[in-house]
Amino acid sequence: MTHAAYPAARLRRTRMTAWSRDLHRETSLSPANLIWPLFPTEGHDEAVPVGTMPGVSRLSVDRLAKAAKEAAALGIPAVALFPHTLPERRSEDAKEALNPDNLICRAIRAIKDAAPEIGVLTDVALDLYTSHGHDGLLSDAGEILNDATVEMLVGQSLNQARAGCDIIAPSDMMDGRVAAIRAGLEADGFHNTQIMAYSAKYASAFYGPYRDAVGSGGVLKGDKKTYQMDPANAREALREVALDIAEGADSVMVKPGMPYLDIIRAIRDAFDVPVFAYQVSGEYAMLEAAIAAGVLDRNKGVLEALMSFRRAGCSGVLTYHAPLAARLMGA
């Protein structure tokens, strides 16, 4: 590729005015690129702050309905739900995941009643329901049982689809679960329910505040390295994505987000499929800590971080800063 040299080429020319910078901007960011994660909790008119995530609260179902209306007013197209399951409803076999009147199903119905135009994404994994905090069922020896877990995940997916969710998002990282869930949805008549697969979910240190929010941090036994990906691996992510696309995923996700922008770009370059990222709780908490310390401008920092996902190739981002970012973009 040949370029003119200075002084014929002065790249600052197009940066000299705001209108010119707008005209030459390569990447766009709008509220339509955001998904707002929310934490349902039991009770009425409850907003329980998550101590490790400043500005984020668990919300009772009635409050979730109001949040969904807020999302619609801000132009945010979808919310993602991660329920705080009470300890007494957790068990070794995660049976609460199959309860048609569990917290997540009640939250889905309330949101769809309040703001039917809002898309609802639901997490599919057993860590929200197991007493040991793992994403799958355990053998007596403590090994994750892949195939038995997949069978449970299909049931969990159908439970949530019947409640009215629009996107099933399996985050468990079990082998073969996308194909099994897709087959289950088709057999039950949910032909248009999407699957957004957590295809490249890493065994990351950035999940801690999230586990506090959903109540699984204190119960987790061991770690998740036998099923979540090694942070050192990039090529493996491409294999995971290829398998999930072949099994019927409509879109794929990378989690965490900013520490894995290279993975997002590699997937976007290799596959013609929508790629999403989850700006996870640890990323959010770090930004908030920098803001609180006075070393980062909140508005500029939040938007710049989100723009990095779009520049890397994301169609959209799950972010706890969604309402703030949407307001900033609408200002």
Side-chain angles (χ1 to χ4, degrees):
M1 185 179 295
T2 303
H3 295 284
Y6 173 86
R10 292 178 183 263
L11 297 187
R12 288 187 58 211
R13 287 188 192 117
T14 60
R15 304 175 194 152
M16 297 303 293
T17 60
W19 67 261
S20 184
R21 291 191 295 272
D22 288 345
L23 191 65
H24 290 86
R25 184 165 293 129
E26 298 174 14
T27 306
S28 64
L29 176 67
S30 80
N33 302 124
L34 307 177
I35 298 173
W36 185 8
L38 297 168
F39 298 114
T41 194
E42 299 289 353
H44 178 76
D45 197 24
E46 292 281 351
V48 183
V50 179
T52 49
M53 298 178 69
V56 174
S57 296
R58 303 182 192 121
L59 301 176
S60 55
V61 169
D62 55 312
R63 290 260 190 147
L64 284 171
K66 294 176 182 177
K69 290 181 179 179
E70 179 184 356
L74 290 170
I76 298 169
V79 297
L81 302 180
F82 303 91
H84 175 258
T85 303
L86 294 173
E88 59 267 29
R89 295 185 182 171
R90 289 176 171 270
S91 60
E92 290 285 326
D93 61 2
K95 63 181 181 181
E96 181 67 9
L98 306 183
N99 177 4
D101 199 39
N102 64 18
L103 179 57
I104 189 75
C105 290
R106 284 182 276 124
I108 295 166
R109 292 192 288 266
I111 289 172
K112 281 301 184 182
D113 286 344
E117 69 274 31
I118 287 289
V120 177
L121 178 153
T122 53
D123 181 76
V124 170
L126 300 185
D127 60 320
L128 299 171
Y129 304 98
T130 54
S131 52
H132 47 69
H134 278 285
D135 294 38
L137 303 175
L138 293 181
S139 71
D140 292 340
E143 179 185 350
I144 298 292
L145 299 171
N146 190 95
D147 295 2
T149 297
V150 168
E151 185 176 347
M152 278 287 294
L153 298 175
V154 174
Q156 183 184 7
S157 299
L158 290 174
N159 192 36
Q160 294 173 176
R162 290 164 185 157
C165 83
D166 302 289
I167 305 174
I168 295 292
S171 65
D172 56 286
M173 292 299 286
M174 297 298 115
D175 292 327
R177 90 277 206 209
V178 172
I181 291 170
R182 184 73 266 165
L185 291 171
E186 292 294 320
D188 217 49
F190 294 104
H191 311 299
N192 295 320
T193 302
Q194 300 177 37
I195 296 177
M196 181 188 294
Y198 285 68
S199 298
K201 182 179 180 180
Y202 286 85
S204 172
F206 287 86
Y207 301 146
Y210 166 88
R211 290 174 182 160
D212 292 340
V214 299
S216 64
V219 301
L220 179 61
K221 299 174 182 177
D223 58 48
K224 302 188 178 187
K225 294 180 180 180
T226 67
Y227 47 102
Q228 294 178 356
M229 287 183 57
D230 185 336
N233 293 358
R235 293 188 299 274
E236 184 183 15
L238 300 182
R239 292 187 66 190
E240 289 279 9
V241 169
L243 286 168
D244 286 351
I245 294 171
E247 291 180 14
D250 299 287
S251 56
V252 298
M253 192 194 300
V254 177
K255 182 181 180 182
M258 286 182 69
Y260 296 87
L261 292 177
D262 60 318
I263 306 300
I264 295 167
R265 171 46 60 188
I267 292 170
R268 188 65 192 89
D269 287 345
F271 301 97
D272 188 18
V273 63
V275 182
F276 291 80
Y278 199 147
Q279 187 184 42
V280 299
S281 59
E283 298 174 67
Y284 173 86
M286 284 198 308
L287 288 171
E288 286 297 315
I291 292 163
V295 298
L296 180 69
D297 179 282
R298 177 186 296 276
N299 296 350
K300 293 177 181 177
V302 166
L303 291 181
E304 185 175 339
L306 293 174
M307 185 65 80
S308 74
F309 292 108
R310 291 283 290 150
R311 193 180 64 247
C314 279
S315 297
V317 186
L318 282 77
T319 175
Y320 303 100
H321 280 128
L324 169 64
R327 289 189 186 94
L328 294 174
M329 286 183 272

